[in-house]
Amino acid sequence: MLEAVRDNFNPALELKGVFLTQYHPSYRGQVYHDFAAELAQQPRVRGLLTNTSIRINAKLVEAVALKKSIHAHAPESNSAHDYLALTQELLTRIA
């Protein structure tokens, strides 16, 4: 997808990061960790996977259903905090 956008719309487009949603390192399911580890080893992703991931929670699902941002619907939720942390991490990558 990145190459298609670059070729057709923005030749200067650069991938600065890849992040996981519906995932957190504290999750118990090994399948989540296996997927994250495998993704981190992919040549196009290596070095681009962010330290921050976005956890899923009921407030995030509610925000989507209500067509609101998580910050408008539940600014104190884990997901809202995760998105803020992700923003800060990505800003440091482009600075």
Side-chain angles (χ1 to χ4, degrees):
M1 179 61 72
L2 177 70
E3 291 170 3
V5 172
R6 189 182 294 138
D7 291 344
N8 294 298
F9 302 104
N10 184 352
L13 184 65
E14 292 181 47
L15 183 61
K16 294 291 188 178
V18 174
F19 64 95
L20 298 173
T21 60
Q22 300 183 21
Y23 172 77
H24 192 263
S26 67
Y27 288 175
R28 292 183 184 169
Q30 187 60 42
V31 68
Y32 297 110
H33 305 297
D34 292 346
F35 176 80
E38 179 65 29
L39 182 63
Q41 296 305 313
Q42 295 298 313
R44 289 186 173 185
V45 176
R46 192 174 296 127
L48 294 175
L49 195 60
T50 62
N51 294 320
T52 306
S53 57
I54 308 300
R55 292 171 276 188
I56 188 71
N57 61 38
K59 293 297 182 187
L60 185 56
V61 174
E62 290 170 6
V64 171
L66 295 170
K67 298 181 181 174
K68 292 184 174 182
S69 77
I70 188 62
H71 302 289
H73 179 64
E76 295 304 316
S77 67
N78 286 337
S79 295
H81 290 288
D82 292 344
Y83 274 109
L84 288 173
L86 177 63
T87 299
Q88 289 301 315
E89 184 176 348
L90 292 175
L91 286 172
T92 62
R93 290 181 183 218
I94 62 172

